[in-house]
Amino acid sequence: LAEINKIYFDFDKAKIRPDAAQELDKLVNLMANEYPELVIEIGSHTDRRGSVEYNRRLAERRAQATRDYLVENGIAAERIVTFKGYGEEQPEVECSNCSEQQHQLNRRSIFKVVKME
């Protein structure tokens, strides 16, 4: 299976950026044309700025936006079994005094293959 890349978000935003849209378009193509049975999960994350509760809600919005993009581009909703926001609890980069680049790496949606035939 081709690599499904993470997508990234701007600080305090859940909007799909142009670079993220390009990655999601690749995923749509993969799911529509190469792997019509592929079922995925979406997990979305934030950096550590803001409260734990705020970040959990922000991550939920990111997961929803990611899912909505795929569905709006022709992927059946039932092929996305889970879309969950984890907030700041699963950082990509562990840092206490994060650089902007480290914060960026933590603001992401990731994809997990659940089923592939």
Side-chain angles (χ1 to χ4, degrees):
L1 176 61
E3 179 69 24
I4 302 173
N5 293 320
K6 301 171 180 124
I7 63 165
Y8 296 97
F9 293 89
D10 289 332
F11 174 66
D12 202 25
K13 302 263 189 311
K15 187 173 177 287
I16 302 296
R17 304 188 320 202
D19 61 321
Q22 284 185 322
E23 286 304 324
L24 290 172
D25 290 343
K26 288 184 208 166
L27 179 55
V28 167
N29 182 50
L30 205 67
M31 291 181 77
N33 301 316
E34 293 180 49
Y35 299 96
E37 302 301 313
L38 183 64
V39 177
I40 63 167
E41 280 179 6
I42 298 167
S44 297
H45 306 269
T46 65
D47 60 33
R48 290 222 160 111
R49 295 177 284 187
S51 72
V52 168
E53 180 55 27
Y54 180 83
N55 282 335
R56 194 190 55 72
R57 288 197 310 269
L58 176 59
E60 288 289 346
R61 292 200 311 274
R62 288 176 176 171
Q64 183 73 53
T66 304
R67 176 195 175 276
D68 290 350
Y69 186 95
L70 295 172
V71 171
E72 285 160 14
N73 284 278
I75 300 305
E78 57 271 12
R79 293 180 63 195
I80 304 163
V81 290
T82 309
F83 53 104
K84 180 172 169 36
Y86 294 94
E88 60 186 59
E89 60 191 64
Q90 296 175 8
E92 177 89 353
V93 179
E94 281 289 349
C95 51
S96 51
N97 192 7
C98 300
S99 68
E100 185 47 44
Q101 188 180 12
Q102 290 169 316
H103 281 309
Q104 175 63 92
L105 291 172
N106 287 331
R107 297 191 303 262
R108 69 209 187 278
S109 281
I110 61 169
F111 306 95
K112 220 185 284 170
V113 171
V114 177
K115 186 181 125 216
M116 193 176 108
E117 289 174 2

